[in-house]
Amino acid sequence: MNLELRHLRVVCAIAETGSVTKAASTLGLAQPALTAQLQRIERTLGGPLFERDRRGARPTALGELVLARARVLLPAMKGLQDEAARLAGAGDAPRRYRFGGVNSPILGRLVHRLAAAQPQAQITTHASWSVDELVQLVAAGRLDFALTGVCGDSTPAADYGLSWREVAVDPIMVLLPETHPLADRDEVALADLRHEQWVAAPGDGCFGDCFAAACARAGFTPRKVYEADVRGCVDLVDAGEAVALCQATFRPVAGLVTRRLAGTPLRWRLMLGWHPESPAAGMADLVVETALAAYTDALAPHPAYLAWLLRNPAFGLRRPLAAAIDPGVRTG
């Protein structure tokens, strides 16, 4: 058997987790399959790489040697793959835009504007609940831009060297059935929702922690939080089973209403990210301007919120609202 990079990843996973069983779970493999693979690796290298007992797996002297080399080779190969992906995309024609998004309120309008302005452009989208996954795909050159959000004053992870531009800041709102006793208010105190059940879309960001902290400040702990995709969230709210937090530009849904939370206990910052050394960096200014215009388009169905923004300039676009209105392509 020839030793391959995937075999080195196996050795590193066992060393990092301290257990073949835990490494199997991390790698998504069955434990017997990973054990058999480790045995083949050890036969190829000529000796045991780990001492295994009830306390776990500890590297032998040979294992330490292999780990030392693997920890140099694996990052070097990852860097080579990333650079190759960026170089391969440098001469693309026609222009290419590859977007990844997490519950983005402007992705559709952004794509529409770019497609209308550049009919020959190749535009693709990728959906993921994981901000980390999108960031890694951009860093690896498999996506050009990530549209995501962070709560409060948080910032996206800096581990992968992406450049980030803040597009807008919005207060988080609550989505209610129009028959809800609080639906006739312009804004709702979070404490008045202490007896409700909640529903939220999945994700790996800090928003769950921010929500829990906001509820604690309001004097309660959420009774129950369902997890569902966006359609499932809407259905649970429509059924009267739960209420949901939503972005201020959430598209209107018949039978449901969005209401501001009094005192704005939660804020959502819409961010656009790209790698500064990728070909996409040369298009970043254009994409940022288009994203700002797409956000302005997204305000059209929300005249009450637009009026509130004009009275609360700390929110909305990250430049004066009038300056972001593009006389070019518009969406309804």
mmCIF file of all heavy atoms in Angstrom, residues 127-166:
data_model
loop_
_atom_site.group_PDB
_atom_site.id
_atom_site.type_symbol
_atom_site.label_atom_id
_atom_site.label_comp_id
_atom_site.label_asym_id
_atom_site.label_seq_id
_atom_site.Cartn_x
_atom_site.Cartn_y
_atom_site.Cartn_z
ATOM 1 N N ALA A 127 -25.728 27.466 -0.852
ATOM 2 C CA ALA A 127 -26.375 27.682 0.444
ATOM 3 C C ALA A 127 -25.747 26.789 1.502
ATOM 4 O O ALA A 127 -25.416 25.635 1.239
ATOM 5 C CB ALA A 127 -27.866 27.398 0.338
ATOM 6 N N SER A 128 -25.592 27.325 2.689
ATOM 7 C CA SER A 128 -25.076 26.544 3.807
ATOM 8 C C SER A 128 -25.552 27.185 5.096
ATOM 9 O O SER A 128 -25.655 28.411 5.197
ATOM 10 C CB SER A 128 -23.548 26.509 3.784
ATOM 11 O OG SER A 128 -23.057 25.897 4.964
ATOM 12 N N TRP A 129 -25.858 26.358 6.094
ATOM 13 C CA TRP A 129 -26.191 26.880 7.419
ATOM 14 C C TRP A 129 -24.933 27.253 8.176
ATOM 15 O O TRP A 129 -25.014 27.870 9.239
ATOM 16 C CB TRP A 129 -26.957 25.826 8.219
ATOM 17 C CG TRP A 129 -28.289 25.451 7.662
ATOM 18 C CD1 TRP A 129 -28.654 24.244 7.156
ATOM 19 C CD2 TRP A 129 -29.441 26.296 7.553
ATOM 20 N NE1 TRP A 129 -29.960 24.280 6.735
ATOM 21 C CE2 TRP A 129 -30.470 25.525 6.963
ATOM 22 C CE3 TRP A 129 -29.699 27.616 7.887
ATOM 23 C CZ2 TRP A 129 -31.741 26.035 6.710
ATOM 24 C CZ3 TRP A 129 -30.959 28.132 7.630
ATOM 25 C CH2 TRP A 129 -31.963 27.346 7.057
ATOM 26 N N SER A 130 -23.765 26.887 7.671
ATOM 27 C CA SER A 130 -22.518 27.054 8.409
ATOM 28 C C SER A 130 -21.696 28.221 7.869
ATOM 29 O O SER A 130 -21.224 28.184 6.732
ATOM 30 C CB SER A 130 -21.687 25.761 8.327
ATOM 31 O OG SER A 130 -20.396 25.968 8.850
ATOM 32 N N VAL A 131 -21.519 29.230 8.703
ATOM 33 C CA VAL A 131 -20.650 30.349 8.327
ATOM 34 C C VAL A 131 -19.219 29.855 8.142
ATOM 35 O O VAL A 131 -18.530 30.238 7.198
ATOM 36 C CB VAL A 131 -20.701 31.459 9.401
ATOM 37 C CG1 VAL A 131 -19.718 32.572 9.061
ATOM 38 C CG2 VAL A 131 -22.105 32.017 9.528
ATOM 39 N N ASP A 132 -18.773 28.963 9.039
ATOM 40 C CA ASP A 132 -17.406 28.451 8.939
ATOM 41 C C ASP A 132 -17.177 27.743 7.612
ATOM 42 O O ASP A 132 -16.114 27.883 6.989
ATOM 43 C CB ASP A 132 -17.113 27.490 10.088
ATOM 44 C CG ASP A 132 -16.889 28.205 11.410
ATOM 45 O OD1 ASP A 132 -16.698 29.434 11.378
ATOM 46 O OD2 ASP A 132 -16.908 27.545 12.463
ATOM 47 N N GLU A 133 -18.169 26.969 7.164
ATOM 48 C CA GLU A 133 -18.014 26.274 5.886
ATOM 49 C C GLU A 133 -17.861 27.272 4.745
ATOM 50 O O GLU A 133 -16.984 27.116 3.878
ATOM 51 C CB GLU A 133 -19.219 25.369 5.615
ATOM 52 C CG GLU A 133 -19.109 24.652 4.268
ATOM 53 C CD GLU A 133 -20.401 23.976 3.830
ATOM 54 O OE1 GLU A 133 -21.382 24.005 4.592
ATOM 55 O OE2 GLU A 133 -20.421 23.442 2.710
ATOM 56 N N LEU A 134 -18.687 28.314 4.725
ATOM 57 C CA LEU A 134 -18.603 29.304 3.651
ATOM 58 C C LEU A 134 -17.249 30.010 3.668
ATOM 59 O O LEU A 134 -16.637 30.239 2.615
ATOM 60 C CB LEU A 134 -19.734 30.334 3.790
ATOM 61 C CG LEU A 134 -21.148 29.801 3.585
ATOM 62 C CD1 LEU A 134 -22.162 30.921 3.795
ATOM 63 C CD2 LEU A 134 -21.315 29.204 2.194
ATOM 64 N N VAL A 135 -16.783 30.366 4.854
ATOM 65 C CA VAL A 135 -15.489 31.040 4.972
ATOM 66 C C VAL A 135 -14.374 30.144 4.433
ATOM 67 O O VAL A 135 -13.479 30.595 3.700
ATOM 68 C CB VAL A 135 -15.235 31.436 6.439
ATOM 69 C CG1 VAL A 135 -13.786 31.873 6.645
ATOM 70 C CG2 VAL A 135 -16.175 32.558 6.858
ATOM 71 N N GLN A 136 -14.426 28.866 4.774
ATOM 72 C CA GLN A 136 -13.409 27.944 4.292
ATOM 73 C C GLN A 136 -13.470 27.781 2.777
ATOM 74 O O GLN A 136 -12.424 27.689 2.116
ATOM 75 C CB GLN A 136 -13.576 26.596 4.980
ATOM 76 C CG GLN A 136 -13.239 26.619 6.459
ATOM 77 C CD GLN A 136 -13.551 25.300 7.146
ATOM 78 O OE1 GLN A 136 -13.420 24.233 6.566
ATOM 79 N NE2 GLN A 136 -13.983 25.374 8.401
ATOM 80 N N LEU A 137 -14.669 27.758 2.209
ATOM 81 C CA LEU A 137 -14.806 27.631 0.757
ATOM 82 C C LEU A 137 -14.251 28.860 0.038
ATOM 83 O O LEU A 137 -13.634 28.748 -1.023
ATOM 84 C CB LEU A 137 -16.274 27.413 0.386
ATOM 85 C CG LEU A 137 -16.859 26.054 0.768
ATOM 86 C CD1 LEU A 137 -18.363 26.034 0.496
ATOM 87 C CD2 LEU A 137 -16.174 24.931 -0.005
ATOM 88 N N VAL A 138 -14.462 30.041 0.614
ATOM 89 C CA VAL A 138 -13.887 31.258 0.025
ATOM 90 C C VAL A 138 -12.366 31.217 0.147
ATOM 91 O O VAL A 138 -11.643 31.516 -0.815
ATOM 92 C CB VAL A 138 -14.463 32.516 0.706
ATOM 93 C CG1 VAL A 138 -13.722 33.771 0.221
ATOM 94 C CG2 VAL A 138 -15.952 32.654 0.407
ATOM 95 N N ALA A 139 -11.867 30.837 1.314
ATOM 96 C CA ALA A 139 -10.420 30.785 1.521
ATOM 97 C C ALA A 139 -9.765 29.779 0.582
ATOM 98 O O ALA A 139 -8.625 29.976 0.136
ATOM 99 C CB ALA A 139 -10.109 30.422 2.969
ATOM 100 N N ALA A 140 -10.478 28.698 0.251
ATOM 101 C CA ALA A 140 -9.930 27.670 -0.631
ATOM 102 C C ALA A 140 -10.108 27.995 -2.107
ATOM 103 O O ALA A 140 -9.676 27.218 -2.964
ATOM 104 C CB ALA A 140 -10.591 26.328 -0.319
ATOM 105 N N GLY A 141 -10.733 29.119 -2.431
ATOM 106 C CA GLY A 141 -10.921 29.498 -3.825
ATOM 107 C C GLY A 141 -12.096 28.822 -4.505
ATOM 108 O O GLY A 141 -12.242 28.905 -5.724
ATOM 109 N N ARG A 142 -12.969 28.153 -3.737
ATOM 110 C CA ARG A 142 -14.120 27.470 -4.327
ATOM 111 C C ARG A 142 -15.355 28.358 -4.355
ATOM 112 O O ARG A 142 -16.338 28.062 -5.042
ATOM 113 C CB ARG A 142 -14.397 26.173 -3.562
ATOM 114 C CG ARG A 142 -13.253 25.164 -3.713
ATOM 115 C CD ARG A 142 -13.396 24.002 -2.769
ATOM 116 N NE ARG A 142 -14.635 23.269 -2.991
ATOM 117 C CZ ARG A 142 -15.078 22.315 -2.179
ATOM 118 N NH1 ARG A 142 -14.374 22.001 -1.097
ATOM 119 N NH2 ARG A 142 -16.198 21.686 -2.441
ATOM 120 N N LEU A 143 -15.348 29.439 -3.592
ATOM 121 C CA LEU A 143 -16.347 30.501 -3.677
ATOM 122 C C LEU A 143 -15.609 31.829 -3.771
ATOM 123 O O LEU A 143 -14.466 31.950 -3.321
ATOM 124 C CB LEU A 143 -17.254 30.518 -2.445
ATOM 125 C CG LEU A 143 -18.275 29.389 -2.277
ATOM 126 C CD1 LEU A 143 -18.994 29.543 -0.941
ATOM 127 C CD2 LEU A 143 -19.267 29.360 -3.422
ATOM 128 N N ASP A 144 -16.270 32.823 -4.352
ATOM 129 C CA ASP A 144 -15.656 34.151 -4.459
ATOM 130 C C ASP A 144 -16.070 35.066 -3.309
ATOM 131 O O ASP A 144 -15.260 35.854 -2.820
ATOM 132 C CB ASP A 144 -16.046 34.798 -5.789
ATOM 133 C CG ASP A 144 -15.559 33.996 -6.974
ATOM 134 O OD1 ASP A 144 -14.380 33.603 -6.975
ATOM 135 O OD2 ASP A 144 -16.353 33.739 -7.902
ATOM 136 N N PHE A 145 -17.343 34.982 -2.912
ATOM 137 C CA PHE A 145 -17.868 35.887 -1.889
ATOM 138 C C PHE A 145 -18.762 35.110 -0.923
ATOM 139 O O PHE A 145 -19.473 34.187 -1.328
ATOM 140 C CB PHE A 145 -18.685 37.020 -2.512
ATOM 141 C CG PHE A 145 -17.882 37.917 -3.411
ATOM 142 C CD1 PHE A 145 -17.848 37.691 -4.784
ATOM 143 C CD2 PHE A 145 -17.157 38.979 -2.891
ATOM 144 C CE1 PHE A 145 -17.099 38.515 -5.616
ATOM 145 C CE2 PHE A 145 -16.412 39.803 -3.717
ATOM 146 C CZ PHE A 145 -16.371 39.568 -5.086
ATOM 147 N N ALA A 146 -18.741 35.518 0.337
ATOM 148 C CA ALA A 146 -19.639 34.973 1.349
ATOM 149 C C ALA A 146 -20.520 36.093 1.870
ATOM 150 O O ALA A 146 -20.025 37.158 2.257
ATOM 151 C CB ALA A 146 -18.850 34.349 2.499
ATOM 152 N N LEU A 147 -21.823 35.861 1.876
ATOM 153 C CA LEU A 147 -22.796 36.783 2.455
ATOM 154 C C LEU A 147 -23.282 36.150 3.749
ATOM 155 O O LEU A 147 -23.934 35.102 3.720
ATOM 156 C CB LEU A 147 -23.973 36.995 1.501
ATOM 157 C CG LEU A 147 -23.878 38.130 0.500
ATOM 158 C CD1 LEU A 147 -25.007 38.010 -0.514
ATOM 159 C CD2 LEU A 147 -23.936 39.488 1.190
ATOM 160 N N THR A 148 -22.966 36.778 4.852
ATOM 161 C CA THR A 148 -23.356 36.200 6.127
ATOM 162 C C THR A 148 -23.667 37.323 7.097
ATOM 163 O O THR A 148 -23.682 38.497 6.734
ATOM 164 C CB THR A 148 -22.239 35.283 6.651
ATOM 165 O OG1 THR A 148 -22.673 34.657 7.845
ATOM 166 C CG2 THR A 148 -20.956 36.062 6.909
ATOM 167 N N GLY A 149 -23.923 36.961 8.319
ATOM 168 C CA GLY A 149 -24.234 37.970 9.315
ATOM 169 C C GLY A 149 -23.663 37.592 10.663
ATOM 170 O O GLY A 149 -23.361 36.430 10.936
ATOM 171 N N VAL A 150 -23.506 38.588 11.521
ATOM 172 C CA VAL A 150 -23.051 38.381 12.895
ATOM 173 C C VAL A 150 -23.923 39.235 13.796
ATOM 174 O O VAL A 150 -24.493 40.244 13.374
ATOM 175 C CB VAL A 150 -21.563 38.755 13.076
ATOM 176 C CG1 VAL A 150 -20.661 37.804 12.317
ATOM 177 C CG2 VAL A 150 -21.299 40.192 12.618
ATOM 178 N N CYS A 151 -24.049 38.818 15.050
ATOM 179 C CA CYS A 151 -24.907 39.572 15.955
ATOM 180 C C CYS A 151 -24.093 40.574 16.767
ATOM 181 O O CYS A 151 -22.897 40.374 17.016
ATOM 182 C CB CYS A 151 -25.679 38.625 16.871
ATOM 183 S SG CYS A 151 -24.651 37.586 17.920
ATOM 184 N N GLY A 152 -24.765 41.640 17.147
ATOM 185 C CA GLY A 152 -24.142 42.647 17.996
ATOM 186 C C GLY A 152 -22.879 43.217 17.398
ATOM 187 O O GLY A 152 -22.827 43.593 16.223
ATOM 188 N N ASP A 153 -21.837 43.272 18.221
ATOM 189 C CA ASP A 153 -20.547 43.800 17.774
ATOM 190 C C ASP A 153 -19.565 42.695 17.403
ATOM 191 O O ASP A 153 -18.366 42.941 17.277
ATOM 192 C CB ASP A 153 -19.934 44.667 18.885
ATOM 193 C CG ASP A 153 -20.777 45.904 19.185
ATOM 194 O OD1 ASP A 153 -21.286 46.494 18.221
ATOM 195 O OD2 ASP A 153 -20.932 46.241 20.372
ATOM 196 N N SER A 154 -20.064 41.469 17.235
ATOM 197 C CA SER A 154 -19.189 40.361 16.870
ATOM 198 C C SER A 154 -18.588 40.592 15.489
ATOM 199 O O SER A 154 -19.112 41.367 14.685
ATOM 200 C CB SER A 154 -19.974 39.039 16.859
ATOM 201 O OG SER A 154 -20.569 38.798 18.109
ATOM 202 N N THR A 155 -17.505 39.896 15.219
ATOM 203 C CA THR A 155 -16.879 39.950 13.900
ATOM 204 C C THR A 155 -16.704 38.527 13.387
ATOM 205 O O THR A 155 -16.555 37.591 14.180
ATOM 206 C CB THR A 155 -15.504 40.640 13.964
ATOM 207 O OG1 THR A 155 -14.683 39.952 14.929
ATOM 208 C CG2 THR A 155 -15.644 42.096 14.382
ATOM 209 N N PRO A 156 -16.721 38.337 12.068
ATOM 210 C CA PRO A 156 -16.481 36.989 11.529
ATOM 211 C C PRO A 156 -15.102 36.496 11.909
ATOM 212 O O PRO A 156 -14.188 37.285 12.180
ATOM 213 C CB PRO A 156 -16.604 37.198 10.010
ATOM 214 C CG PRO A 156 -17.387 38.454 9.847
ATOM 215 C CD PRO A 156 -17.016 39.312 11.017
ATOM 216 N N ALA A 157 -14.948 35.180 11.939
ATOM 217 C CA ALA A 157 -13.667 34.575 12.304
ATOM 218 C C ALA A 157 -12.554 35.090 11.396
ATOM 219 O O ALA A 157 -12.720 35.193 10.182
ATOM 220 C CB ALA A 157 -13.756 33.052 12.211
ATOM 221 N N ALA A 158 -11.419 35.426 12.008
ATOM 222 C CA ALA A 158 -10.282 35.968 11.255
ATOM 223 C C ALA A 158 -9.281 34.898 10.861
ATOM 224 O O ALA A 158 -8.224 35.198 10.301
ATOM 225 C CB ALA A 158 -9.589 37.048 12.093
ATOM 226 N N ASP A 159 -9.606 33.621 11.137
ATOM 227 C CA ASP A 159 -8.634 32.542 10.948
ATOM 228 C C ASP A 159 -8.193 32.362 9.499
ATOM 229 O O ASP A 159 -7.093 31.881 9.240
ATOM 230 C CB ASP A 159 -9.212 31.214 11.443
ATOM 231 C CG ASP A 159 -9.542 31.249 12.922
ATOM 232 O OD1 ASP A 159 -9.151 32.224 13.579
ATOM 233 O OD2 ASP A 159 -10.191 30.310 13.402
ATOM 234 N N TYR A 160 -9.045 32.725 8.543
ATOM 235 C CA TYR A 160 -8.772 32.402 7.142
ATOM 236 C C TYR A 160 -8.360 33.621 6.307
ATOM 237 O O TYR A 160 -8.245 33.527 5.103
ATOM 238 C CB TYR A 160 -9.993 31.723 6.524
ATOM 239 C CG TYR A 160 -10.298 30.395 7.177
ATOM 240 C CD1 TYR A 160 -11.193 30.322 8.239
ATOM 241 C CD2 TYR A 160 -9.662 29.228 6.766
ATOM 242 C CE1 TYR A 160 -11.466 29.115 8.864
ATOM 243 C CE2 TYR A 160 -9.928 28.012 7.388
ATOM 244 C CZ TYR A 160 -10.832 27.966 8.427
ATOM 245 O OH TYR A 160 -11.090 26.775 9.048
ATOM 246 N N GLY A 161 -8.154 34.754 6.941
ATOM 247 C CA GLY A 161 -7.594 35.911 6.249
ATOM 248 C C GLY A 161 -8.521 36.601 5.284
ATOM 249 O O GLY A 161 -8.063 37.285 4.358
ATOM 250 N N LEU A 162 -9.850 36.479 5.453
ATOM 251 C CA LEU A 162 -10.778 37.140 4.537
ATOM 252 C C LEU A 162 -10.897 38.626 4.862
ATOM 253 O O LEU A 162 -10.702 39.056 6.005
ATOM 254 C CB LEU A 162 -12.172 36.494 4.618
ATOM 255 C CG LEU A 162 -12.442 35.347 3.630
ATOM 256 C CD1 LEU A 162 -11.462 34.208 3.828
ATOM 257 C CD2 LEU A 162 -13.888 34.853 3.781
ATOM 258 N N SER A 163 -11.222 39.404 3.836
ATOM 259 C CA SER A 163 -11.592 40.806 4.024
ATOM 260 C C SER A 163 -13.111 40.871 4.171
ATOM 261 O O SER A 163 -13.838 40.171 3.457
ATOM 262 C CB SER A 163 -11.161 41.645 2.816
ATOM 263 O OG SER A 163 -9.756 41.658 2.687
ATOM 264 N N TRP A 164 -13.590 41.738 5.082
ATOM 265 C CA TRP A 164 -15.023 41.833 5.339
ATOM 266 C C TRP A 164 -15.492 43.277 5.204
ATOM 267 O O TRP A 164 -14.792 44.205 5.615
ATOM 268 C CB TRP A 164 -15.363 41.324 6.743
ATOM 269 C CG TRP A 164 -15.164 39.860 6.890
ATOM 270 C CD1 TRP A 164 -14.074 39.210 7.387
ATOM 271 C CD2 TRP A 164 -16.092 38.833 6.516
ATOM 272 N NE1 TRP A 164 -14.256 37.857 7.354
ATOM 273 C CE2 TRP A 164 -15.487 37.598 6.824
ATOM 274 C CE3 TRP A 164 -17.372 38.851 5.955
ATOM 275 C CZ2 TRP A 164 -16.125 36.381 6.591
ATOM 276 C CZ3 TRP A 164 -18.008 37.643 5.722
ATOM 277 C CH2 TRP A 164 -17.385 36.422 6.036
ATOM 278 N N ARG A 165 -16.673 43.438 4.631
ATOM 279 C CA ARG A 165 -17.296 44.756 4.534
ATOM 280 C C ARG A 165 -18.700 44.674 5.143
ATOM 281 O O ARG A 165 -19.477 43.786 4.804
ATOM 282 C CB ARG A 165 -17.387 45.204 3.074
ATOM 283 C CG ARG A 165 -18.266 46.428 2.834
ATOM 284 C CD ARG A 165 -17.699 47.697 3.489
ATOM 285 N NE ARG A 165 -18.686 48.757 3.474
ATOM 286 C CZ ARG A 165 -18.792 49.662 2.490
ATOM 287 N NH1 ARG A 165 -17.949 49.613 1.474
ATOM 288 N NH2 ARG A 165 -19.713 50.597 2.527
ATOM 289 N N GLU A 166 -18.981 45.580 6.048
ATOM 290 C CA GLU A 166 -20.306 45.653 6.658
ATOM 291 C C GLU A 166 -21.260 46.329 5.677
ATOM 292 O O GLU A 166 -21.021 47.454 5.237
ATOM 293 C CB GLU A 166 -20.209 46.450 7.953
ATOM 294 C CG GLU A 166 -21.462 46.462 8.795
ATOM 295 C CD GLU A 166 -21.240 47.231 10.083
ATOM 296 O OE1 GLU A 166 -21.095 48.472 9.996
ATOM 297 O OE2 GLU A 166 -21.191 46.611 11.165
#
